Structures are given as structure tokens and as C-alpha cells.
């Protein structure tokens, strides 16, 4: 499997071949280096609205992380998943009819939050996919 190491000085993550990374935006609509979209079979930023993928949010020690679990539908807790140094805890849910897995991992006082859009139209990924596991396992704070 070919993959590229992405490192923006804040986050480091492996991006498998066939996936593409884009920056997300913060609550004030500014591009954020702490929010990354990694989507399978994406070509442009607009593909995040029509493909399946993972959004990673990084919360350092100064940031406030608040779970918004209560706003989702069909919430079901899942067993924790150990991938490398991460112990991912979370739940599955639906948001606006789309199925997600929402996972949180705390490492060295920082929080990684992964929102995995499991199915979007004909595009689908799974927590069991090797690419998804590679991404989740590789997430780290840059040096």
C-alpha cells in the first residue's frame, strides 16, 4: 500500500493512495490547520460533500473539547478500538441521515477527534478497512 506522510507542523497523518487531504474550516469560516478532511476517491475539495471519508480535529491543551453526542440520531456506543498508540473510544450515529462513526483518542494531553462518514451515496468505507485503520493509527501531533 502506498501512502504519503502529511505534516503541517501541528498534525501528522498518513494519507493512503486513492485518498486526498484538504484543510477544514473553523467555526468562524477560517481555514484551520487543526481540522483535516481525508476522503477516499476525492479529487477536489467539493468531493467531501459526495464521498466517504474522515474528518480529523485536533484539540491541544489550550482548546476546549465538548462532546456533541446528544445532537445525533441513532447513537450507539461501540467497543474501544486499539490502533497503535491510540485507544479510540466512541459511537456510531446518523447525522442528517448519513451514517457516521465518531471516535476520540487522548494522547499526551491532546485530543484527536475523528468523524468518519461511513456512507455517502455510492461511496462507502468501514472501520474495518485497512486504509481507515492506517489513517487512525498514524494520527499524531507533529514535533
Amino acid at each position: 500500500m502506498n501512502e504519503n506522510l502529511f505534516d503541517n507542523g501541528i498534525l501528522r497523518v498518513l494519507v493512503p493512495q486513492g485518498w486526498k487531504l484538504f484543510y477544514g474550516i473553523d467555526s468562524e469560516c477560517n481555514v484551520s490547520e487543526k481540522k483535516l478532511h481525508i476522503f477516499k476517491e476525492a479529487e477536489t475539495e467539493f468531493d467531501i460533500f459526495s464521498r466517504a471519508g474522515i474528518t480529523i480535529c485536533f484539540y491541544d491543551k489550550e482548546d476546549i473539547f465538548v462532546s456533541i453526542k446528544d445532537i445525533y440520531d441513532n447513537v450507539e456506543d461501540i467497543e474501544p478500538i486499539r490502533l497503535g498508540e491510540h485507544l479510540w473510544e466512541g459511537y456510531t450515529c446518523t447525522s442528517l441521515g448519513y451514517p457516521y462513526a465518531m471516535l476520540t483518542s487522548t494522547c499526551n494531553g491532546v485530543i484527536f477527534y475523528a468523524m468518519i462518514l461511513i456512507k455517502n451515496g455510492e461511496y462507502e468505507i468501514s472501520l474495518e478497512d485497512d486504509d481507515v485503520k492506517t489513517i487512525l493509527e498514524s494520527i499524531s501531533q507533529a514535533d
Side-chain angles (χ1 to χ4, degrees), residues 92-108:
T92 59
C93 64
T94 55
S95 177
L96 302 173
Y98 293 95
Y100 280 87
M102 305 297 203
L103 304 175
T104 306
S105 177
T106 303
C107 296
N108 301 319

Side-chain angles (χ1 to χ4, degrees), residues 24 49 55 65 111 133:
F49 301 109
T55 298
F65 173 77
I111 297 171
K133 289 178 181 178

Side-chain angles (χ1 to χ4, degrees), residues 54-73:
I54 303 171
T55 298
I56 301 164
C57 300
F58 171 78
Y59 296 86
D60 62 27
K61 295 171 183 157
E62 292 82 39
D63 295 324
I64 298 171
F65 173 77
V66 178
S67 173
I68 53 174
K69 182 178 181 179
D70 294 339
I71 71 165
Y72 299 115
D73 297 317

Side-chain angles (χ1 to χ4, degrees), residues 5-54:
L5 178 64
F6 171 85
D7 185 335
N8 68 1
I10 295 172
L11 283 166
R12 182 179 296 139
V13 63
L14 287 175
V15 180
Q17 185 174 349
W19 294 65
K20 192 152 184 163
L21 183 143
F22 308 97
Y23 280 107
I25 57 172
D26 63 19
S27 59
E28 297 173 353
C29 295
N30 297 312
V31 172
S32 173
E33 294 182 332
K34 292 182 175 185
K35 186 174 186 179
L36 307 175
H37 300 293
I38 305 173
F39 276 66
K40 187 174 183 177
E41 299 180 41
E43 295 296 326
T44 71
E45 290 183 61
F46 295 108
D47 288 336
I48 68 170
F49 301 109
S50 62
R51 306 291 197 276
I54 303 171

